[in-house]
Amino acid sequence: MAQASSGASERPTEDELSRAGLELKVEGHVARITISRPERRNAMTGRTWKTLAHIGQTLPEDVRIVVLAGKGDIFSAGIDLGMFTPEGVDGERSLVAGILDGSADADDVEAYIAELQAGFLWLRRPEIVSIAAVRGHAIGAGFQLALACDLRILAGDAKFTMKEPALGLVPDLTGTKPLVDIVGVNRAVEICLTARRVEAAEARELGLAELVVPVEELDGAVDDVIAALLATNPEAAVATKALLQQAAGNTLEQQARAEREAQVGRLTSLAKAMGAGG
Ligand code: ACO
């Protein structure tokens, strides 16, 4: 199935990536995205998330795994705090300037946030498995980006903080649903409203990390998971992820029906392959 959805058809240029503080490497079935603004502790801007959306829109069809990591010893310090100043960052749209001078109404601001959220939402597509490889801090938008991924593999020094409420904001980059789905509403309230750090060991206990490994083993652990994921039949992987994603919203009967329908598709395709081979 084609990955590219509506919108951009040309892949982001090196210049666009660099201005967004991102690096992108696509090799075979694996795309690796690195948040790369080490001088700002990998803080991200609106441009970072719009470019992430662009990467998602133009991902080569045969990519099955997307890995997100931070350059150096930190995943991300979250949003670039300059985005909340009237001047914004590097000529980018400030999140408050339009409200301050009356040039942006609520609809404008919502539409802008929706554009930014698009950078996170594509990471759930059934055609890929997204992996956050987290070293050091993942704060605010950084935590939400890790939450946007299917899997989180953490180095022992990783720490998550949902800082937004402490700054007078809400987490609005698609993180609240996966957080509640994983830890439950009560723990999510506690984590968000205290803005405390969740260290790697606790993240593992809470289900916020699939795996926690020593720092020096992070890259190898990610490669092992990639190899295991790629060893699985690609079409079955897509169909299974789609099935699992709808389970929480379905009744048992609806889910059983969805399983049957998906399996008919799988059996038909396996039978056709046998017929073609025989
Ligand atoms: N936005 C802009 N600049 C940042 C950010 C950020 N989010 N985080 C760090 N920087 C800058 C610092 O201002 C500093 O710049 P300078 O060298 O010009 O003074 C540089 O990166 C290094 O930062 P330090 O604080 O010196 O690095 P340290 O390793 O001591 O601490 C940490 C790292 C813990 C990430 C700290 O920088 C921090 O708490 N940053 C702010 C985190 C934050 O509140 N993010 C917003 C969350 S809400 C959201 O994301 C929607």
Side-chain angles (χ1 to χ4, degrees):
M1 189 188 297
Q3 301 248 358
S5 54
S6 61
S9 56
E10 299 289 326
R11 293 202 212 155
T13 60
E14 282 305 320
D15 182 53
E16 180 186 350
L17 289 165
S18 145
R19 289 192 308 134
L22 292 172
E23 293 171 12
L24 171 66
K25 202 161 86 182
V26 179
E27 278 175 351
H29 297 301
V30 183
R32 293 177 191 265
I33 301 170
T34 307
I35 311 162
S36 181
R37 285 182 84 214
E39 71 289 356
R40 285 270 163 267
R41 297 293 185 268
N42 297 337
M44 300 177 283
T45 66
R47 200 174 274 149
T48 312
W49 303 318
K50 286 196 204 175
T51 302
L52 266 181
H54 189 176
I55 292 172
Q57 284 161 359
T58 55
L59 203 63
E61 238 177 82
D62 54 353
V63 167
R64 295 180 56 197
I65 312 286
V66 175
V67 181
L68 272 144
K71 188 103 173 171
D73 59 4
I74 181 168
F75 186 72
S76 172
I79 195 168
D80 189 311
L81 293 167
M83 295 278 293
F84 298 117
T85 61
E87 306 77 42
V89 181
D90 298 338
E92 280 200 57
R93 176 175 170 161
S94 152
L95 285 163
V96 292
I99 299 172
L100 276 172
D101 67 18
S103 64
D105 63 17
D107 287 347
D108 293 327
V109 178
E110 264 196 54
Y112 180 57
I113 296 173
E115 275 184 66
L116 307 185
Q117 289 173 330
F120 296 66
L121 289 170
W122 67 273
L123 293 161
R124 293 286 182 198
R125 285 208 298 249
E127 291 78 18
I128 55 167
V129 177
S130 50
I131 302 172
V134 183
R135 274 212 60 186
H137 286 284
I139 301 176
F143 186 11
Q144 294 191 70
L145 187 58
L147 283 166
C149 293
D150 295 310
L151 309 177
R152 280 155 294 279
I153 302 180
L154 270 52
D157 67 351
K159 32 209 164 263
F160 291 136
T161 312
M162 200 64 93
K163 189 79 178 285
E164 286 82 345
L167 298 176
L169 303 162
V170 298
D172 67 344
L173 294 168
T174 79
T176 57
K177 182 162 173 56
L179 181 64
V180 169
D181 286 348
I182 295 169
V183 305
V185 67
N186 298 339
R187 179 63 69 192
V189 166
E190 183 265 325
I191 288 171
C192 293
L193 272 57
T194 63
R196 72 174 173 88
R197 281 184 194 168
V198 177
E199 307 269 347
E202 185 187 1
R204 178 78 190 84
E205 269 172 42
L206 291 174
L208 288 167
E210 274 57 50
L211 199 60
V212 176
V213 296
V215 169
E216 63 279 9
E217 291 173 22
L218 183 60
D219 292 347
V222 171
D223 287 345
D224 288 349
V225 171
I226 291 172
L229 289 165
L230 290 180
T232 300
N233 175 296
E235 289 83 22
V238 174
T240 303
K241 182 173 166 187
L243 195 56
L244 295 171
Q245 283 180 313
Q246 54 181 292
N250 276 348
T251 63
L252 185 56
E253 281 192 353
Q254 287 167 333
Q255 187 66 8
R257 185 184 317 121
E259 289 176 357
R260 294 194 296 274
E261 288 168 1
Q263 198 68 306
V264 169
R266 291 287 65 243
L267 289 167
T268 305
S269 141
L270 289 175
K272 278 188 186 156
M274 279 178 212

